[in-house]
Each structure stands twice: as C-alpha cells, then as structure tokens.
Amino acid sequence: MTAFDDLMAFQRETEALAQVAGRLSWDQETVMPRGAAPQRAEETAALETVLHARRVDPKVGEWLAIIDEAHLDDVGRAQLRHIRRSRERAIKVPAALASRLARVTSEAQGIWAAARAAEDVQAFAPTLSEVITLKREEGLALAAGGDVYDAMLDDYEPGATGAELEAMFGALRPELSHLREAVREAEAPPQLAGRFDEAAQMKLTRQLAKTFGYDMSMGRVDKAVHPFSSGSGLDVRITTRTNEVDPFNCFYSTIHEVGHACYEQGIDKAYLLTPLGAGVSMGVHESQSRIYENQLGRSRAFTGWLYSQMRDAFGDFGVADEDVFYRIVNKVSDGYIRTEADELQYNLHVLLRFDLERALMRGDLQVSELEAAWNDRFSADFGFEVDKPSNGVLQDVHWSVGLFGYFPTYTLGNVYAGCLYDALREDIQTLDADLARGNTSAATGWLRQKVQVHGGFHEPRQLIAQAAGKPVTEAPLLAYLQRKFSQLYCL
C-alpha cells in the first residue's frame, strides 16, 4: 500500500467515527431520555477527544509530507485538500478546548430548551456567555491574527468572509424591505382554517419525502422540536414537526429537510466515508433545501398537486380552489419564527442574526445586552414588537450548540438557489407540467447531476457557478422574489 492508501484508510475510520458522533446528536434531539443529558455530554466530549486526536495525529502529517500529488488524479488531490484543511484547523485548536466545547455545548442544548420553555433568558445567559467565551477562544486560535468571525464562518462556508457577505446582504436588505412593505399594503389571501389530524400529516409528509426523491431505505422521518437532517451516505435521517392548525409547517419543513437529505444521498458513493462524501458547504446545502422547499415546493404548479393530495388526506378543508391554495401557501404574514417565515421575509430574519452574532464575537455586544438588541432590531425590521423570548432571542438552537458563523449560510443558500433555479428552468422546459403531476424527478435529477453527485469535490462558489453557468450574485434571487410576489399580490 502507498502512503495515500494508508492515509485514506485512516481517514475512513475518522469519518466513520464522526458519523457515530452525528448519530448521538440525532438521538439526543429525537428519542434520548431527558435525564440522560449529563451522561450524553460526557459521551460527546469523549468522542470529540478521540476525533480531535485523530485529526492531529502525527501520522497524518507524515503521510501528507511524503505523498506525491503528481501521481494522484483530481479526486485524490481534492481528498488531500480537505484533509489538509481539516488538519490545519484541528492543530490550531488545543485538544482540551475541543473537548470542553463539546461538553459545554451538549449540556447547553438542554439548558436552552428549558429556558425557552420557561421564557427565561436569564436562565440561559450564563451558559451562553460560557459558550461564547469558548468559541472566541477557538476563533482566536483559528484566525491566527486574522478576523475571528471569518475563521468561524470558514467552518461552514470555506472561502467566504464576513465583509463579502455584509456587502451581499447590504444589497438584499433594502430591496426585500421595500417589497415587503408593498406586499403588506396589498390585499392578503385568506387564512387556512380548521384542524388537521397529526397522524394524517405524518402520512402525507412521508409521501412528500418520497415524491422529492428521498430514499427511505437509507433514511427515516421522525419528529423533533427543531426539524433537521443528519448523516450522509447510506444513513441520512430527517425530522419534522406537526401543528394541528398549520399543516404547512410539517409539509414544508419536511420538503426542506429532504433537500438536505437528498444532497447527502445523491453524492457519488465512491466518496463514501471520505472527506468528499459530504456536502461541500452549508451554503450549498441550503441551496438544495431552499430550492426544494420554495422554487419547486411552493410553485403554482406543485401546489396544485399538493392541493389534491390534501383533499384526499383531509377532505374538504375550506379552500375553494388551487389558485386560492397557492396564495395561502405563499402568504406573507407577520411572524416571529425564522423557520416558519414566508419566503419573502425569511432572509430578514437571517440578516438580523448575522449582524448580532458578528457583534458578539467582536465583543461589541455583550450577552447581557443581547435580548434588548434583538428586540430593537426586530422591531425596526418587521414593524412590531417581540412578545416573548421564545419568539425572540431564545427561538434558535444554533448559539447554544456553538454554531457561530452558520446563520449567514441560510441566506447564502437562497442566493445560490436563485442562481440554480434560473439555469434549471432554462434546461427543463417541461418543469411546470412535471410539477403539476407531482413529478419532481427531472428537477431533482438535474440538481443531483449538477450539484449533489460532486460532494466536496469542488469549492462552493465554483460548484454553483459551474452549475448555474454564471457567476454567483444576489440578482437572480431578487428577480425571482420580485416576480413571484408582484404577481401574487398584484403589485
């Protein structure tokens, strides 16, 4: 065996252990007994210690030093690119810090959930302060004199910078705000009324998962407080949630997570348990979940099909026809929760979090000031006041588990999805006719071929630009939103 073969064999074991760690997190969010949280924190920390040790193992450095890249193909060189990057980041972070972060963030999930249920920000504030202190320490180590937030962002979107995203988001925000105000002054669609059986919701949501190409032989759908996708390769699981008066919460959370899951299931199986065997970035991941959910799932064509499926599942639920149903699905309405936000306002929620977490990492904003800063910004952006912490600063799990730098990838994913959708529509002339029959295979097949199969082979921006046939900008997303909501609201 060559040094490259030895390295890849070692790496596959590391990747397998990382999948086990992910499965522990899935278990914690779905079926783990609440009383097991302290023990799970210790288990998570122990596994993170093992993973960190493998990532900084001197043998990896020795193998990297003697491998002659001239004798490798493009896939081999891409594997080395990821291994080097992961190793360089791991070496910068002391093992004790990595272990402590794993333990504290595991414990913080339960503390956040309890504080959220009790509407008690102060009950979570000390834990959040500890998480932020540890993440700053990690960021300083990773940045090596550079921008701390950029170092964190690089974990989720390699190559992106806070300044670059600030410019992109700065172009989005005024246009989105202007369109939002115009829509708020127009006549609103009716509300969905009645109650929708939760068992029937789950039956239909599993059908939707299959409709969008989710392979249930290598996945499963469970319920959780916060919907998510977990795993890669041959074991990719999703969660959703139900609401008796709002079935769309269940259906579109499912379609969103199926987008993530299909990305992981669609990666070339030759990359299984290697650095190329997972999505290349969270921005690209979000491009898949958002295009499945919005451009495909909320389209006039697909909602016509969904309307017929809901009538089959729930009988006459008080919506006159497909056109009214389409308007209800895409209704722009006031709301506090990012994950439940309509397509037009969603990015404003993300931009709020992006600005606040950058300020936290810079030390310009303290945890003691966070709730007031959140509420002030929300009022300015959305025109009404936050009524309780669970609808405000306590609504997201991300900060409790240390995911600083993650939020901006949601909007970056929408930008990527806008670019991809332009190209997809141009290439698939039968798209609307297909979706009207509940047939997503041409669209999801296009995305699999253009994006998903490549896994981590390309850099994120390179992958999207190559698939879309043009450089990445926010213009296609803005044009799509302007066109869609101007038509919906007769602007």
Side-chain angles (χ1 to χ4, degrees), residues 24 95 169 196 206 209 229 248 257 275 290 292 323 363 409:
L24 284 177
F169 296 169
F196 298 82
R206 288 186 170 92
S229 174
F248 298 145
E257 299 307 333
R290 296 296 283 178
Y292 275 52
D323 287 328
T409 67

Side-chain angles (χ1 to χ4, degrees), residues 44-359:
T44 301
L47 190 49
E48 179 56 37
T49 299
V50 172
L51 284 166
H52 187 272
R54 292 183 67 87
R55 290 170 182 141
V56 300
D57 193 308
K59 292 197 301 288
V60 175
E62 292 168 8
W63 285 321
L64 288 170
I66 63 175
I67 291 171
D68 183 357
E69 291 194 34
H71 291 91
L72 299 179
D73 59 12
D74 289 342
V75 171
R77 284 190 284 272
Q79 299 280 19
L80 290 189
R81 184 181 78 240
H82 281 273
I83 293 170
R84 283 199 179 96
R85 178 178 173 274
S86 175
R87 177 175 169 76
E88 287 169 2
R89 290 181 68 82
I91 286 173
K92 292 176 182 177
V93 179
L97 174 59
S99 177
R100 188 177 174 201
L101 260 171
R103 180 182 295 106
V104 169
T105 53
S106 180
E107 293 171 343
Q109 286 178 269
I111 296 169
W112 161 78
R116 180 175 177 271
E119 304 290 352
D120 188 352
V121 175
Q122 293 310 308
F124 179 53
T127 300
L128 179 59
S129 293
E130 184 176 8
V131 171
I132 289 172
T133 297
L134 293 173
K135 289 300 294 185
R136 278 183 187 152
E137 187 177 341
E138 180 190 50
L140 285 167
L142 291 170
D147 187 280
V148 169
Y149 188 76
D150 285 355
M152 295 177 177
L153 180 61
D154 197 62
D155 245 352
Y156 310 107
E157 195 65 23
T161 67
E164 172 193 42
L165 294 182
E166 184 178 26
M168 177 182 286
F169 296 169
L172 280 172
R173 191 176 179 211
E175 297 296 328
L176 293 175
S177 297
H178 177 75
L179 181 57
R180 176 182 175 277
E181 289 307 310
V183 165
R184 290 186 80 193
E185 293 174 4
E187 182 181 355
Q191 292 272 25
L192 193 65
R195 292 191 173 274
F196 298 82
D197 179 72
E198 292 190 17
Q201 286 187 45
M202 288 303 294
K203 181 179 179 181
L204 181 50
T205 212
R206 288 186 170 92
Q207 179 187 344
L208 285 169
K210 295 175 185 177
T211 296
F212 277 87
Y214 183 49
D215 186 343
M216 295 288 282
S217 72
M218 296 184 289
R220 54 182 292 135
V221 182
D222 294 277
K223 289 175 65 175
V225 173
H226 189 100
F228 65 95
S229 174
S230 174
S232 65
L234 306 182
D235 188 349
V236 186
R237 310 178 187 193
I238 67 169
T239 67
T240 190
R241 59 186 170 200
T242 56
N243 183 321
E244 281 192 342
V245 298
D246 181 12
F248 298 145
N249 193 317
C250 177
F251 300 150
Y252 284 99
S253 290
T254 298
I255 296 171
H256 179 99
E257 299 307 333
V258 163
H260 285 301
C262 284
Y263 184 5
E264 294 293 338
Q265 288 185 338
I267 295 171
D268 190 333
K269 294 301 183 286
Y271 299 158
L272 185 67
L273 294 180
T274 77
L276 302 189
V280 69
S281 76
M282 289 315 304
V284 176
H285 243 299
E286 286 300 319
S287 78
Q288 301 306 283
S289 61
R290 296 296 283 178
I291 200 170
Y292 275 52
E293 176 190 356
N294 293 324
Q295 282 91 339
L296 302 180
R298 296 185 193 274
S299 67
R300 172 61 183 85
F302 186 79
T303 55
W305 178 82
L306 180 58
Y307 176 70
S308 69
Q309 302 305 302
M310 284 189 64
R311 286 182 65 89
D312 290 345
F314 304 107
D316 183 357
F317 56 94
V319 177
D321 56 42
E322 294 177 4
D323 287 328
V324 175
F325 184 77
Y326 171 57
R327 295 188 68 216
I328 293 173
V329 167
N330 290 283
K331 182 178 181 178
V332 175
S333 56
D334 289 347
Y336 303 100
I337 306 300
R338 173 186 59 85
T339 56
E340 299 171 7
D342 55 76
E343 194 177 358
L344 172 56
Q345 298 184 96
Y346 179 87
N347 293 300
L348 293 173
H349 288 269
V350 176
L351 271 52
L352 178 155
R353 290 153 173 79
F354 169 68
D355 289 342
L356 292 181
E357 71 175 18
R358 281 184 87 196

Side-chain angles (χ1 to χ4, degrees), residues 143 315 426:
E426 187 174 331

